[in-house]
Amino acid sequence: KIIIVAPLKNTPAERAGLMPQDEIVAVDGVSTYNLSVSDVVTKIRGKKNTKVNLTIMRNTWDKPKIISIVRDSINIPSAEVEMLPNNIALLRIYNFYQPLLSQFAKAVQTIQDNKVKGVILDLRNNPGGYLDIYTDIGNYFFTKNDLLLIEDYQDKQFNKEYRTSRDGELKDMPIVVLINEGTASAAEILAGALRDNRGIKLVGENSFGKGSVQELVNLSGGNQLKITIAHWLTPSGIDISKKGIKEDISVKLDKEDNGSYSTITLDNDSQL
C-alpha cells in the first residue's frame, strides 16, 4: 500500500486536505497496486497548474474518495516560531532537510530575544529527513556529549552512537513536545531523545514508526536492491520501527482535522 506519512505545510496535498495514514489507491484512475513508490510519485508529478486525481482511502471512510489536486511549485518551510500568550513560544519543525539549519537558528534567536519561559515543540506531521540535520539540530536541546541516537546493527559490535558536540541554547528551557501519527523518522528520534534525556513529556498520539537505516546495493542489469541494515534507537534503546513512540499524555484531534495545518487553529487545536 502507498501510505501518506504526512502532508507538508503549504503544499497542494495539504491544501487539498490529505492526511497522515491516507492510502493512495489510484492516480488518475490507475491502480497503485503492484506499483513502487517511485512509480506512483512519477505519476503524481506534472506541470504546474495541471490537475491530478488521487483516489484516497481513509480509515474513517466506508469507501475511497477521489480528491483532485492542482499541481504547483513546492517550497517547503522547515521551521517557524510563534509567540503565544504567557510568554510561551510555539516552535514548529516541519522536516529535517537542509534549509532547517538556518531557519531553526533564526527561530532559536527569536526565542532568546523574547526571553520566553517555555517552548511547545510541535513535531506533528513531520516526516523526518536527513540524519546529519537531526544531529545538528539535536545540539540545541542537550548538554555536550549527550546521546542523540543509537544506530543498531544485528552484530552489536558495529553499533554506532551519535552524541552532541556542545551545550545547547535550549538545554535548560522547559519544553513539551507535540507528536501524532505523522511524526516520523528523525522527528520521532528527537521526541524520544528529549524524553529519554530530559524527562520531557510527549503530548498527542502515537508516532508513525519509521526507524530503519537502508542501503542501496547495485545489481546486474541496472537494478538496485534496498536493504535495511540497521535500526535507529532512542538513547534509552527504544526501537521505533513499526511501533513508533507512545505519547505520555494522549490527546486526539478530530480525524478530519488531523493532517492539515490549514484547518488547525489555536482555538480548535486540542493537543496544543
Side-chain angles (χ1 to χ4, degrees):
K1 292 181 179 180
I2 305 297
I3 303 295
I4 294 172
V5 176
L8 297 170
K9 185 181 180 183
N10 293 334
T11 59
E14 193 235 13
R15 291 192 288 269
L18 295 183
M19 302 201 318
Q21 302 296 323
D22 280 353
E23 177 188 353
I24 303 175
V25 177
V27 180
D28 285 332
V30 178
S31 171
T32 60
Y33 184 69
N34 278 340
L35 292 182
S36 68
V37 172
S38 58
D39 288 338
V40 174
V41 168
T42 299
K43 289 181 177 298
I44 291 174
R45 285 178 174 162
K47 291 182 179 179
K48 183 177 179 178
N49 295 326
T50 60
K51 285 186 178 181
V52 59
N53 292 317
L54 302 185
T55 304
I56 299 295
M57 186 61 196
R58 187 168 295 168
N59 292 333
T60 55
W61 293 348
D62 295 327
K63 59 182 180 179
K65 297 180 183 179
I66 295 177
I67 296 180
S68 183
I69 300 178
V70 179
R71 297 180 175 103
D72 200 354
S73 300
I74 294 177
N75 297 299
I76 305 168
S78 292
E80 292 177 338
V81 65
E82 177 184 355
M83 296 306 301
L84 302 181
N86 301 316
N87 207 26
I88 300 294
L90 173 59
L91 176 57
R92 289 188 169 111
I93 302 179
Y94 298 117
N95 56 65
F96 285 84
Y97 302 136
Q98 189 65 41
L100 176 61
L101 296 180
S102 60
Q103 294 178 22
F104 192 80
K106 291 178 181 176
V108 171
Q109 188 62 56
T110 299
I111 289 171
Q112 292 178 311
D113 291 345
N114 283 276
K115 295 181 172 58
V116 305
K117 66 180 183 180
V119 169
I120 300 171
L121 178 61
D122 191 349
L123 297 176
R124 294 174 298 178
N125 299 341
N126 181 326
Y130 300 128
L131 175 61
D132 60 330
I133 303 299
Y134 161 70
T135 55
D136 279 342
I137 295 303
N139 281 313
Y140 284 90
F141 293 98
F142 305 106
T143 56
K144 186 175 180 179
N145 208 41
D146 275 354
L147 186 58
L148 288 171
L149 81 152
I150 303 166
E151 211 166 74
D152 179 46
Y153 293 83
Q154 191 169 17
D155 189 338
K156 302 297 183 184
Q157 67 174 320
F158 294 111
N159 281 11
K160 184 176 181 180
E161 293 185 347
Y162 293 83
R163 294 183 177 273
T164 55
S165 59
R166 60 181 178 83
D167 285 343
E169 292 83 347
L170 303 178
K171 67 181 178 64
D172 297 318
M173 178 68 66
I175 296 173
V176 66
V177 180
L178 301 181
I179 62 171
N180 68 359
E181 57 192 2
T183 304
S185 188
E188 293 175 280
I189 291 295
L190 177 57
L194 285 166
R195 180 163 66 185
D196 289 354
N197 292 339
R198 296 181 51 186
I200 285 171
K201 299 297 184 184
L202 311 183
V203 176
E205 301 175 74
N206 202 89
S207 64
F208 186 85
K210 182 182 183 293
S212 58
V213 183
Q214 293 169 322
E215 185 176 85
L216 282 175
V217 178
N218 292 318
L219 304 176
S220 61
N223 296 307
Q224 290 181 316
L225 180 66
K226 182 183 284 187
I227 301 175
T228 297
I229 60 170
H231 283 176
W232 282 352
L233 310 182
T234 70
S236 66
I238 296 173
D239 187 347
I240 66 172
S241 295
K242 299 183 180 180
K243 302 186 295 289
I245 290 183
K246 181 168 177 55
E247 72 285 356
D248 297 300
I249 302 170
S250 180
V251 182
K252 295 186 181 297
L253 284 179
D254 183 330
K255 285 297 181 183
E256 293 304 313
D257 290 339
N258 198 26
S260 176
Y261 283 102
S262 60
T263 58
I264 297 175
T265 68
L266 290 177
D267 294 326
N268 67 10
D269 189 342
S270 54
Q271 291 172 338
L272 177 59

